[in-house]
């Protein structure tokens, strides 16, 4: 199945502790159905100091389930994503206003 959300999409969180927050998708793992969103689902990881990096408590973004994310359309609202054929190619579009994404 084609991916409804892709890397660099602006999304909003629909459920969980970060509900209502917005961010940009950094990476996606389609096999597990999860995505890492910048600034969302942060956890503190303790890292050891090395010659190249400073140690300490480092906040890192953990993966979020794709079903808990929604694409943000041009008006800034959460929308569902659909597919249609334009010029022989399959393209994504926002169901709220019909614009291609």
């Amino acid at each position: 199945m084609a991916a409804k959300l892709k890397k660099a999409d602006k999304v909003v969180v629909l459920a969980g502790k970060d509900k209502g927050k917005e961010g940009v998708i950094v990476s996606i793992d389609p096999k597990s159905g999860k995505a890492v969103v910048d600034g969302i689902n942060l956890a503190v990881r303790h890292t050891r100091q090395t010659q190249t990096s400073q140690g300490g408590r480092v906040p890192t973004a953990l993966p979020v389930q794709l079903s808990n994310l929604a694409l943000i359309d041009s008006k800034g609202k959460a929308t569902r994503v659909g597919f249609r054929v334009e010029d022989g190619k399959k393209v994504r579009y926002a169901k709220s206003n019909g614009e291609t994404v």
Side-chain angles (χ1 to χ4, degrees):
M1 187 175 96
K4 295 189 179 221
L5 297 175
K6 295 185 177 187
K7 186 175 176 179
D9 279 348
K10 191 167 182 184
V11 294
V12 63
V13 180
L14 300 176
K17 66 177 184 178
D18 294 323
K19 181 178 180 179
K21 290 185 181 178
E22 297 178 3
V24 177
I25 294 179
V26 177
S27 67
I28 288 190
D29 182 16
K31 189 173 183 181
S32 65
K34 295 187 177 193
V36 176
V37 182
D38 191 32
I40 305 294
N41 197 21
L42 293 177
V44 175
R45 295 288 178 240
H46 300 272
T47 59
R48 183 182 296 263
Q49 182 176 356
T50 63
Q51 288 182 346
T52 58
S53 66
Q54 182 68 29
R57 298 173 47 155
V58 180
T60 58
L62 298 179
V64 180
Q65 196 70 29
L66 287 175
S67 62
N68 294 333
L69 300 175
L71 187 72
I72 296 179
D73 63 2
S74 59
K75 296 178 183 173
K77 298 253 183 170
T79 183
R80 293 186 299 163
V81 178
F83 294 98
R84 64 178 166 215
V85 177
E86 290 181 2
D87 300 327
K89 287 192 172 188
K90 190 176 187 181
V91 295
R92 298 182 308 155
Y93 75 98
K95 289 198 172 185
S96 61
N97 56 15
E99 294 178 358
T100 55
V101 184

